[in-house]
């Protein structure tokens, strides 16, 4: 960023960062060239400022920057972050949920229903394979990575979530291939455009701010 990128770390001041915050907030940016530009939010600016502060703190620890103050801190230690307006109301009324599901194609409808009634993350749903699903027992196994430890946890499924899984179960008398994806395209390939398809369905349902991640809440 021109305001900071041309300075030595020892020359960056609190005033520089305050100007950076003011210039960045609300400035348009376009992470996806195919999507319209968005205004930079306070949350984005705060993440960038936190990164700058972390870099200077690392420079002090490495002896590349002289500490300031009684404690070994960096010059930007007291830079305040912007207030973030993160208030969201992801709850769906029964009527809004019905509108959303009506705008989904059958495969997307099964995923959305499953996410609403299982509280699982979208990534967990897209990676779910039939070998981890027990429709008779009404549960599913999910591999989680917590505190640098990978382990498998089993979660119960309610009747609606089980029905969503049954709706995409391959036809036939035998059990599905344990290695096959549960939620996928008709040819068994990963569902690559789920977020785009969900945004379209949500917008058509009159829910333009609803994110697919909100469904688990």
């Amino acid at each position: 960023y021109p305001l900071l990128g041309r300075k030595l770390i020892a020359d960056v001041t609190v005033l520089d960062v305050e100007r950076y915050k003011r210039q960045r907030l609300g400035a348009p940016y376009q992470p996806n060239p195919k999507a319209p530009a968005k205004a930079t939010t306070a949350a984005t600016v705060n993440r960038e400022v936190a990164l700058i502060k972390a870099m200077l703190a690392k420079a002090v620890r490495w002896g590349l920057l002289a500490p300031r103050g009684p404690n070994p801190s960096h010059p930007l230690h007291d830079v305040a972050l912007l207030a973030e307006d993160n208030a969201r109301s992801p709850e769906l009324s029964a009527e809004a949920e019905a509108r959303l599901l009506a705008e989904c194609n059958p495969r997307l409808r099964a995923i959305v229903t499953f996410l609403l009634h299982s509280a699982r993350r979208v990534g967990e749903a897209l990676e779910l394979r039939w070998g981890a699903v027990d429709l008779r027992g009404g549960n599913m196994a999910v591999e989680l990575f917590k505190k640098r430890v990978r382990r498998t946890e089993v979660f119960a499924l309610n009747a609606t979530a089980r029905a969503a899984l049954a709706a995409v179960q391959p036809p036939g008398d035998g059990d599905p291939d344990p290695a096959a994806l549960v939620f996928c395209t008709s040819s068994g390939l990963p569902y690559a455009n789920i977020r785009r398809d969900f945004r379209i369905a949500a917008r058509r349902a009159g829910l333009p701010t609803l994110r697919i991640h909100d469904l688990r809440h």
Side-chain angles (χ1 to χ4, degrees), residues 94-173:
E95 187 269 339
E97 181 180 331
R99 292 202 318 269
L100 175 63
L101 293 175
E103 296 295 343
C104 296
N105 62 51
R107 291 185 180 276
L108 180 60
R109 188 180 305 124
I111 299 177
V112 169
T113 302
F114 176 79
L115 294 175
L116 282 168
H117 289 269
S118 68
R120 305 319 309 162
R121 294 179 174 85
V122 62
E124 294 170 354
L126 294 179
E127 294 172 2
L128 184 63
R129 298 181 185 272
W130 285 110
V133 175
D134 181 5
L135 287 180
R136 298 182 185 88
N139 57 60
M140 61 176 284
V142 177
E143 193 176 66
L144 302 175
F145 190 75
K146 294 182 178 179
K147 297 181 179 179
R148 300 184 181 181
V149 176
R150 189 178 297 278
R151 66 176 183 269
T152 300
E153 294 187 8
V154 177
F155 297 92
L157 299 170
N158 68 15
T160 306
R162 294 199 302 272
L165 293 174
V168 295
Q169 188 173 14
D173 298 331

Side-chain angles (χ1 to χ4, degrees), residues 12-212:
V12 176
T13 66
V14 172
L15 180 58
D16 291 331
V17 178
E18 292 298 336
R19 287 172 174 164
Y20 174 84
K21 289 159 57 178
R22 186 172 66 250
Q23 292 182 15
R24 284 286 289 148
L25 185 62
Y29 80 104
Q30 194 171 14
N32 183 352
K34 296 183 179 180
K38 300 179 181 180
T40 303
T41 64
T44 297
V45 176
N46 284 343
R47 303 304 170 269
E48 294 171 352
V49 171
L51 175 61
I52 295 170
K53 295 174 70 173
M55 292 166 64
L56 265 67
K58 182 77 73 174
V60 170
R61 287 197 296 272
W62 287 352
L64 302 176
L65 183 65
R68 298 186 185 180
N71 298 317
S73 61
H74 56 84
L76 307 182
H77 182 268
D78 294 326
V79 171
L81 299 181
L82 299 171
E84 298 182 22
D85 182 12
N86 293 326
R88 293 179 57 83
S89 179
E91 295 182 4
L92 286 178
S93 65
E95 187 269 339
E97 181 180 331
R99 292 202 318 269
L100 175 63
L101 293 175
E103 296 295 343
C104 296
N105 62 51
R107 291 185 180 276
L108 180 60
R109 188 180 305 124
I111 299 177
V112 169
T113 302
F114 176 79
L115 294 175
L116 282 168
H117 289 269
S118 68
R120 305 319 309 162
R121 294 179 174 85
V122 62
E124 294 170 354
L126 294 179
E127 294 172 2
L128 184 63
R129 298 181 185 272
W130 285 110
V133 175
D134 181 5
L135 287 180
R136 298 182 185 88
N139 57 60
M140 61 176 284
V142 177
E143 193 176 66
L144 302 175
F145 190 75
K146 294 182 178 179
K147 297 181 179 179
R148 300 184 181 181
V149 176
R150 189 178 297 278
R151 66 176 183 269
T152 300
E153 294 187 8
V154 177
F155 297 92
L157 299 170
N158 68 15
T160 306
R162 294 199 302 272
L165 293 174
V168 295
Q169 188 173 14
D173 298 331
D175 293 330
D177 179 0
L181 290 169
V182 173
F183 297 109
C184 56
T185 67
S186 57
S187 56
L189 298 175
Y191 199 140
N193 298 317
I194 185 172
R195 286 178 173 79
R196 181 204 64 187
D197 294 347
F198 180 83
R199 285 196 300 269
I200 293 173
R203 190 162 55 244
R204 289 176 176 172
L207 303 166
T209 63
L210 187 68
R211 305 172 305 180
I212 194 167

